[in-house]
Amino acid sequence: MVARISQWLDNIPRGIASKLNFDGDTISRFAADFGSINHSAPPTAVFRPSSAEDIAALLRFAYDSDSPFPVAARGIGASTRGQAFAPGGVVIDMAALRVGGRRISVSVDGMYVDAGGEQMWIDVLEETLRHGLSLRSCVDFLYLSVGGTLSNAGTGGTVFRHGPHVSSVLELDVITGKGEMITCSPELHSDLFYGVLGGLGQLGVITRARIGLCSAPTRVRWLRLFYTDFDSFTRDQEFLISLPHPAGFDYIEGQVLPNHQQVDDPTFYTNEDTERINQLAAECDRMYFLEAAVFFDSTSEADQKVEGLLTQLNFNPGFAISKDVSHLEFLNRVHIEITHKQISFMTGDSNDTCFHPWLHLLVPRSRIRDIYNGVFKGILQNINPKGLMLFYPMNKNRWNDAMTAVVPDDEEVFYTVEFLWTAATVEEWKNFEARNNEILEFCDRQAIKFKKYLPHYTTQADWERHFGLAKWEKFVQLKQKYDPKAVLSPGQQIFSVIEHQAKPASMHA
Ligand SMILES: Cc1cc2nc3c(=O)[nH]c(=O)nc-3n(C[C@H](O)[C@H](O)[C@H](O)COP(=O)(O)OP(=O)(O)OC[C@H]3O[C@@H](n4cnc5c(N)ncnc54)[C@H](O)[C@@H]3O)c2cc1C
């Protein structure tokens, strides 16, 4: 097991020691995350770097030490299962790198942006928009860090066309578990480049990402189409993601509203819309909405395109709600809604009492009906829905299998099925957790070959199953090459150290 930092505190070079924080409040903030679920041992210290070189120095020290200690980069702490924790070790507060100003630089000629791994997407986007450029793919919530997102994948409603965030990355600066600073790309140290993308923080700390951009549209027509028939809903979603650019929508997501769940979003619906939709919700067991958007510069072209597309869809007549917004307002919609409702989002505040036992599944298209029958109509039949259930398809050919990020095998189309529960009490959280376990057991019983997004496992067998044997073996090799003492991101519970060599976690639990 890696040693606790306190064993060699005395040996820390002054340049590193001056940036370590041992204050009790700070420590407890970095022992909590958005999920509020996992409570392992707190870190011994929180490191506030002023530069990427500081991070390299810390990691070199951890690696060279006789008693290596765990180190985890933390973006915003938006994880739900302690993935950015470093029990007994050091958490790097990446946000400290934002203090000296935005490390974001746009190349208009190159159509890319260089962004520090600590930057939040909202800041990256605001900077690119100043140059008339935008991100090709975008997460739904822009107050996430670049490094934390790229360590997972970065999904959202444009993935069906442009792939996840990781697909737009052209180059990275990475500091490995040995403290080496390496610039990597598809041509340079490509094993590290692809390994880090979706690599769950296991191979290095991303300190800069070069991300490809596209022209920013002037406006966005944002639509929600309501369905009471599941098959029409999924058929339309799949039809829409099959359309080649520029024929279809530019963004497609969807939500399931179980058990008469009502809509409540004054940033999108008028009072009259809300009343009509909620009347429909009262009349049926489950309702669905397909969320779509067209990015446009000319209103008449958008009118024509949307009209043409809507005639081919089978939503409940009269239940297409739309509005035109700026590109930024559209991409920042989740934050705008959260702010409007005055919901507190945990950005490192340990006083937050909400629990978020989220479960994200990626499910092959052919098994979606089984999820409908067994989960929506079965396991979740009588739940009191608190939170969101996102449900939309993606094209597998937009994901690069060379990356560590994992998606279901075999089928060309898979769905993201996300149970984004919010629990106000421990009892509620445990109830949701019990439902999550039932869902997972159901999928296993039915041999549904799902993959988890933002995965959380604790045994080697589960991680091996998650990655699949070939990818797992490659990942273990990369770990041994770039973080051989398994210093990095121990909160993911994938590897730990035995005799100074990274081993899969459960071999020496
Ligand atoms: C409200 C909300 C909305 C969300 N919406 C989306 C969405 O639309 N799409 C989506 O894909 N995800 C979404 N997520 C999930 C999000 O992508 C993950 O939580 C992700 O981990 C990013 O959060 P973070 O930046 O706080 O990273 P953290 O939670 O701090 O870290 C996540 C992991 O990455 C590691 N890490 C952090 N920074 C770095 C770095 N610079 N280099 C290497 N490793 C690093 C950490 O050690 C940890 O293992 C959402 C989460 C929330 C709470």
Side-chain angles (χ1 to χ4, degrees):
M1 200 49 199
V2 283
R4 294 173 75 92
I5 186 175
S6 44
Q7 284 177 11
W8 43 263
L9 258 178
D10 291 346
N11 301 327
I12 298 182
R14 202 172 316 143
I16 298 174
S18 63
K19 288 170 179 152
L20 289 174
N21 191 309
F22 299 93
D23 161 70
D25 284 350
T26 306
I27 299 277
S28 57
R29 275 204 298 125
F30 285 81
D33 62 15
F34 179 73
S36 302
I37 293 169
N38 281 30
H39 295 284
S40 58
T44 298
V46 172
F47 186 63
R48 296 234 157 90
S50 317
S51 64
E53 287 72 21
D54 284 346
I55 298 174
L58 174 76
L59 284 168
R60 266 197 306 274
F61 180 61
Y63 178 72
D64 289 338
S65 164
D66 289 340
S67 330
F69 54 92
V71 177
R74 170 175 156 131
I76 311 300
S79 290
T80 56
R81 307 269 170 184
Q83 286 93 334
F85 291 178
V90 175
V91 174
I92 305 171
D93 178 9
M94 295 298 288
L97 289 174
R98 297 205 296 268
V99 172
R102 288 182 177 179
R103 299 196 313 135
I104 303 171
S105 149
V106 174
S107 165
V108 175
D109 292 343
M111 295 280 279
Y112 63 74
V113 58
D114 279 317
E118 74 287 355
Q119 297 296 319
M120 292 193 295
W121 294 109
I122 181 69
D123 298 323
V124 176
L125 193 67
E126 278 177 358
E127 192 58 38
T128 66
L129 289 178
R130 260 192 268 282
H131 300 270
L133 298 173
S134 183
L135 299 163
R136 292 181 206 146
S137 246
C138 213
V139 280
D140 294 335
F141 184 61
L142 301 178
Y143 290 73
L144 302 170
S145 79
V146 168
T149 305
L150 298 182
S151 297
N152 285 294
T155 62
T158 48
V159 171
F160 78 93
R161 174 165 299 154
H162 297 293
H165 265 294
V166 283
S167 298
S168 299
V169 178
L170 307 172
E171 188 179 276
L172 295 169
D173 283 346
V174 175
I175 302 176
T176 69
K178 297 178 183 173
E180 306 157 309
M181 294 181 83
I182 298 180
T183 298
C184 55
S185 69
E187 292 78 36
L188 200 64
H189 302 288
S190 60
D191 63 340
L192 181 63
F193 176 77
Y194 291 121
V196 163
L197 296 171
L200 307 175
Q202 295 305 301
L203 306 179
V205 176
I206 298 168
T207 54
R208 177 187 62 95
R210 176 167 292 178
I211 299 160
L213 302 172
C214 59
S215 296
T218 318
R219 303 283 289 169
V220 175
R221 180 150 311 161
W222 177 13
L223 299 102
R224 286 183 184 165
L225 315 174
F226 284 82
Y227 295 75
T228 49
D229 177 52
F230 180 75
D231 290 331
S232 305
F233 171 56
T234 52
R235 211 180 303 118
D236 282 358
Q237 283 189 318
E238 287 169 29
F239 162 67
L240 289 171
I241 69 158
S242 74
L243 295 176
H245 184 62
F249 287 114
D250 297 299
Y251 160 100
I252 293 160
E253 289 200 3
Q255 285 190 27
V256 179
L257 303 175
N259 305 332
H260 313 290
Q261 185 176 10
Q262 306 218 318
V263 298
D264 170 26
D265 179 2
T267 64
F268 188 81
Y269 307 109
T270 62
N271 289 343
E272 200 181 289
D273 290 336
T274 304
E275 210 171 295
R276 258 174 1 103
I277 295 164
N278 287 341
Q279 200 173 333
L280 185 65
E283 287 162 11
C284 57
D285 288 339
R286 275 163 299 280
M287 201 165 62
Y288 316 91
F289 72 75
L290 189 160
E291 187 168 60
V294 168
F295 301 163
F296 67 91
D297 296 315
S298 141
T299 308
S300 57
E301 270 174 33
D303 291 344
Q304 217 178 353
K305 185 170 182 179
V306 170
E307 208 174 297
L309 286 166
L310 292 190
T311 56
Q312 301 176 70
L313 304 178
N314 290 298
F315 51 90
N316 286 35
F319 283 90
I321 321 281
S322 83
K323 67 179 204 166
D324 289 0
V325 292
S326 73
H327 188 51
L328 181 60
E329 190 178 342
F330 175 72
L331 294 181
N332 201 23
R333 65 200 175 281
V334 173
H335 185 255
I336 292 172
E337 186 186 345
I338 289 175
T339 310
H340 186 87
K341 290 184 177 169
Q342 298 184 318
I343 299 169
S344 77
F345 171 72
M346 208 281 278
T347 51
D349 180 355
S350 59
N351 295 324
D352 193 304
T353 50
C354 274
F355 304 90
H356 296 105
W358 288 7
L359 177 67
H360 299 235
L361 303 180
L362 304 176
V363 178
R365 191 200 72 82
S366 66
R367 305 308 303 271
I368 278 306
R369 257 243 146 229
D370 299 306
I371 295 286
Y372 171 76
N373 286 325
V375 177
F376 299 152
K377 283 176 70 181
I379 296 166
L380 301 179
Q381 176 76 332
N382 297 313
I383 62 143
N384 174 15
K386 278 198 178 167
L388 301 177
M389 283 165 56
L390 301 191
F391 186 92
Y392 58 92
M394 305 182 197
N395 294 312
K396 187 174 166 180
N397 62 15
R398 297 293 180 234
W399 294 67
N400 183 341
D401 197 41
M403 296 175 183
T404 308
V406 170
V407 296
D409 300 323
D410 305 329
E411 294 182 26
E412 180 42 41
V413 172
F414 61 87
Y415 277 71
T416 182
V417 187
E418 304 179 19
F419 305 95
L420 308 182
W421 311 124
T422 298
T425 63
V426 171
E427 194 189 349
E428 219 171 52
W429 154 44
K430 293 204 164 151
N431 280 338
F432 280 127
E433 207 71 279
R435 299 296 167 124
N436 288 348
N437 289 335
E438 270 185 72
I439 292 169
L440 293 171
E441 280 160 20
F442 167 80
C443 289
D444 283 342
R445 260 198 326 276
Q446 298 294 317
I448 297 175
K449 291 186 180 156
F450 68 89
K451 296 290 180 187
K452 274 190 196 172
Y453 181 58
L454 310 173
H456 170 68
Y457 292 111
T458 54
T459 68
Q460 182 190 349
D462 282 337
W463 280 115
E464 217 178 285
R465 186 174 81 141
H466 171 74
F467 284 106
L469 190 58
K471 213 168 213 182
W472 170 248
E473 283 178 350
K474 192 167 137 197
F475 195 42
V476 172
Q477 278 170 14
L478 287 171
K479 183 74 175 175
Q480 283 164 353
K481 180 171 176 188
Y482 290 109
D483 182 26
K485 294 188 182 173
V487 160
L488 290 167
S489 291
Q492 298 279 5
Q493 301 186 59
I494 308 174
F495 299 99
S496 62
V497 158
I498 195 165
E499 289 163 6
H500 301 322
Q501 213 187 0
K503 297 280 181 194
S506 64
M507 292 175 74
H508 44 87

